[in-house]
Amino acid sequence: MSWRRFFAAWAFGTCFAPWAWAHDPGISTAQVELGAAAFVLTTGFAPADVQQLLPSALRHEGAWTQSEFDGARERLLALAPELWEIRAGGRVIPPRELRVELLPGDSVSYTHVYPRESSWPGLTLRALKIGELPSGHRQFLIVADEAGSVIAKKLMKAEDAALDVTLDAGAAGSAGGAQPGQDATWWEFIKLGVEHIATGYDHLLFLFGLLVVCRSFRSIVAIISCFTLAHSITLAVATLDWVQLPPRLVEPAIAASIVFVGVENVLRRGEEPRGRWALTFAFGLIHGFGFASVLRDLGIGRGGGGVALPLVTFNLGVEIGQIAIAAAVLPVVWWLRKSETFVRRGVPAFSAGVALAGLYWLLERTLFS
């Protein structure tokens, strides 16, 4: 193998090395339920996210037990007034009630109860702490009227963390016209899909573990198509709440699929196994449940409303990101595969790295979770 191919192989492997230790920037949710005399703002955080807002002495790796949560409850409650700024009628509205609790599934829920006056023409809701969370964190805010109908929604980020909601002063709990920010929501979900696959290192490593042994353009198209079709199916059925699998099963299964592909590549010594498309489809169904967790964490699909736009645009974003990354990496792989040394040694070495990364995630998501 020439020094150019050696350098390209080294660079190809190095670019994947940090994946096993990288983290998703995270998503949190918030929902406003408007009433005639008051409105309730409920905010949900993953413990790993909310702990970023606490002093280091109160942070805890892994799942948060009830006793550990109780030990941090006072500081968590003190944090509550700093999460949101609500403006109406030209002034800041203070909450009249604050609560924080640890919900089943290890999520932290904040409840803010605010008074409401019928004369207010609208509300401005500003998330104050997004900038202190990991870079790229998103917060999905939904505002619903008394009937439960969504009147405003926005996918917030650090540089755009406010939503203006126009209310109909003549009818409590209803909104007049389209809300600012809704027109851009579809584009935000496309970007969220692209970002999720770009930071979905387990999904990408699984895909490249499959593609690194492909010997023809036809087999590459078959692999990508099967993976896309499979995860699109389960993304849809899980988001619509037709079929659900708990994360404690899905995440280890995704890691196990990576181990399987890496080990099979090693045993085949870089040659493409027969029937890989069927294996890709089967494992792609599992990965789809992982993608669906993003939309489910945002509360999409609950109650059956407003599913089509986020489901289609998020999936489109995933596919755009997947194709863009594959288009950038596959030419390098094909060039490297022209060397018999790379096929006999480089592919098995890369595949062993894939298997080890999958094993790391498998242990992290089972024994060390």
Side-chain angles (χ1 to χ4, degrees):
M1 183 164 55
S2 69
W3 69 268
R4 290 187 179 88
R5 285 201 172 90
F6 174 81
F7 177 78
W10 173 84
F12 178 72
T14 300
C15 73
F16 294 114
W19 285 11
W21 293 274
H23 297 279
D24 193 289
I27 292 173
S28 52
T29 61
Q31 181 165 341
V32 174
E33 298 176 5
L34 294 172
F39 62 93
V40 179
L41 170 57
T42 305
T43 311
F45 291 99
D49 291 331
V50 76
Q51 289 184 53
Q52 296 295 316
L53 305 176
L54 295 176
S56 57
L58 294 176
R59 298 176 188 175
H60 176 75
E61 292 293 331
W64 222 351
T65 66
Q66 186 63 52
S67 61
E68 290 164 343
F69 174 81
D70 290 340
R73 183 188 294 272
E74 184 177 345
R75 185 63 186 88
L76 287 167
L77 198 55
L79 181 66
E82 305 171 14
L83 295 178
W84 292 94
E85 179 187 86
I86 310 296
R87 287 185 171 271
R91 60 189 175 90
V92 175
I93 308 302
R96 70 184 189 194
E97 183 181 346
L98 296 169
R99 298 192 301 272
V100 62
E101 56 187 326
L102 182 66
L103 299 181
D106 201 33
S107 61
V108 176
S109 177
Y110 279 93
T111 302
H112 294 62
V113 181
Y114 295 88
R116 181 184 176 192
E117 298 178 10
S118 59
S119 60
W120 290 344
L123 297 171
T124 298
L125 302 100
R126 183 178 300 276
L128 301 178
K129 291 292 187 178
I130 294 183
E132 298 180 30
L133 294 170
S135 177
H137 187 93
R138 297 289 188 268
Q139 188 163 60
F140 188 52
L141 173 62
I142 299 175
V143 181
D145 63 16
E146 289 183 49
S149 300
V150 174
I151 61 173
K153 56 188 175 183
K154 185 173 183 178
L155 194 61
M156 294 177 162
K157 51 190 175 182
E159 58 270 27
D160 185 13
L163 173 64
D164 294 321
V165 183
T166 302
L167 304 175
D168 183 352
S174 63
Q179 301 302 321
Q182 290 200 68
D183 293 340
T185 301
W186 66 273
W187 174 239
E188 291 297 326
F189 276 106
I190 289 179
K191 292 195 292 184
L192 181 64
V194 172
E195 292 173 5
H196 183 69
I197 192 63
T199 58
Y201 311 118
D202 47 0
H203 303 294
L204 286 176
L205 202 57
F206 170 76
L207 184 60
F208 285 120
L210 295 167
L211 295 177
V212 76
V213 295
C214 288
R215 305 183 66 177
S216 67
F217 181 74
R218 179 179 178 181
S219 62
I220 288 174
V221 171
I223 291 294
I224 293 178
S225 299
C226 286
F227 186 62
T228 297
L229 176 61
H231 73 62
S232 296
I233 290 172
T234 46
L235 172 61
V237 300
T239 302
L240 293 169
D241 210 22
W242 294 347
V243 178
Q244 288 294 345
L245 290 179
R248 61 183 175 82
L249 297 180
V250 173
E251 295 304 319
I254 290 173
S257 72
I258 298 169
V259 175
F260 184 94
V261 167
V263 170
E264 186 179 39
N265 287 355
V266 172
L267 295 177
R268 295 279 183 171
R269 298 185 178 275
E271 294 299 320
E272 182 177 1
R274 296 181 61 182
R276 258 288 171 87
W277 64 270
L279 178 75
T280 302
F281 185 85
F283 282 142
L285 293 172
I286 298 172
H287 283 247
F289 284 107
F291 290 136
S293 66
V294 176
L295 298 185
R296 190 166 57 251
D297 288 346
L298 294 176
I300 294 166
R302 296 171 190 168
V307 161
L309 182 145
L311 181 60
V312 172
T313 52
F314 177 79
N315 198 43
L316 178 61
V318 169
E319 304 317 323
I320 291 173
Q322 182 176 283
I323 291 171
I325 294 171
V329 173
L330 284 175
V332 178
V333 176
W334 268 20
W335 181 62
L336 289 169
R337 283 190 64 87
K338 293 178 182 179
S339 166
E340 286 299 322
T341 304
F342 176 76
V343 173
R344 286 186 291 105
R345 297 181 182 176
V347 172
F350 172 74
S351 299
V354 169
L356 288 174
L359 181 61
Y360 170 84
W361 283 316
L362 182 60
L363 294 174
E364 181 187 48
R365 296 168 185 182
T366 53
L367 298 180
F368 305 126
S369 63

